[in-house]
């Protein structure tokens, strides 16, 4: 069992930046997929970014060029650098992990951290 704990959320003005961090309770070395989901009120949950054990990353079209996901296997962390934030980036952000791949129901979830972007 892997526990995930997010940090770094908060309130920021549009155009600003935030860095989310997710700490795992166990080694992430063998976890293939680590990622961040976003849930906004009235909006379907969205996979924002994912990074594989090989370092390949993918992003939702809505955040490409603004968000960067990274993982540190030595520290057992996965971070999400969010730049040029927009009000539509507002939501609860969840870290997720899966030994195979991220889909609708990853094996492990964090408790979430709230991000609010004011206009």
């Amino acid at each position: 069992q892997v526990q995930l704990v997010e940090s770094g959320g908060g309130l920021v003005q549009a155009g600003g930046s935030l860095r989310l961090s997710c700490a795992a309770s166990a080694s992430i070395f063998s976890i293939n997929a680590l990622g961040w989901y976003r849930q906004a009120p009235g909006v379907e949950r969205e996979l924002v970014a994912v990074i594989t054990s090989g370092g390949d990353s993918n992003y939702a079209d809505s955040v490409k060029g603004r968000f960067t996901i990274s993982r540190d296997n030595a520290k057992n962390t996965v971070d999400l650098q969010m730049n040029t934030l927009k009000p539509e980036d507002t939501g609860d952000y969840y870290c997720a992990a899966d030994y195979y791949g991220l889909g609708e129901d990853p094996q492990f979830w964090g408790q979430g951290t709230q991000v609010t972007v004011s206009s």
Side-chain angles (χ1 to χ4, degrees), residues 38-41 87-94 113-117:
R38 175 170 69 195
Q39 178 75 65
E88 51 264 45
D89 293 319
T90 294
D92 293 323
Y93 284 71
Y94 297 89
T113 186
Q114 189 172 51
V115 171
T116 303
V117 184

Side-chain angles (χ1 to χ4, degrees), residues 27-67:
S27 174
I28 64 170
F29 181 81
S30 59
I31 295 180
N32 181 49
L34 294 164
W36 290 88
Y37 289 78
R38 175 170 69 195
Q39 178 75 65
V43 179
E44 192 171 326
R45 185 175 64 193
E46 177 183 28
L47 177 57
V48 172
V50 58
I51 187 166
T52 69
S53 56
D56 294 325
S57 58
N58 279 292
Y59 300 90
D61 288 342
S62 58
V63 306
K64 278 181 182 176
R66 300 188 297 121
F67 289 12

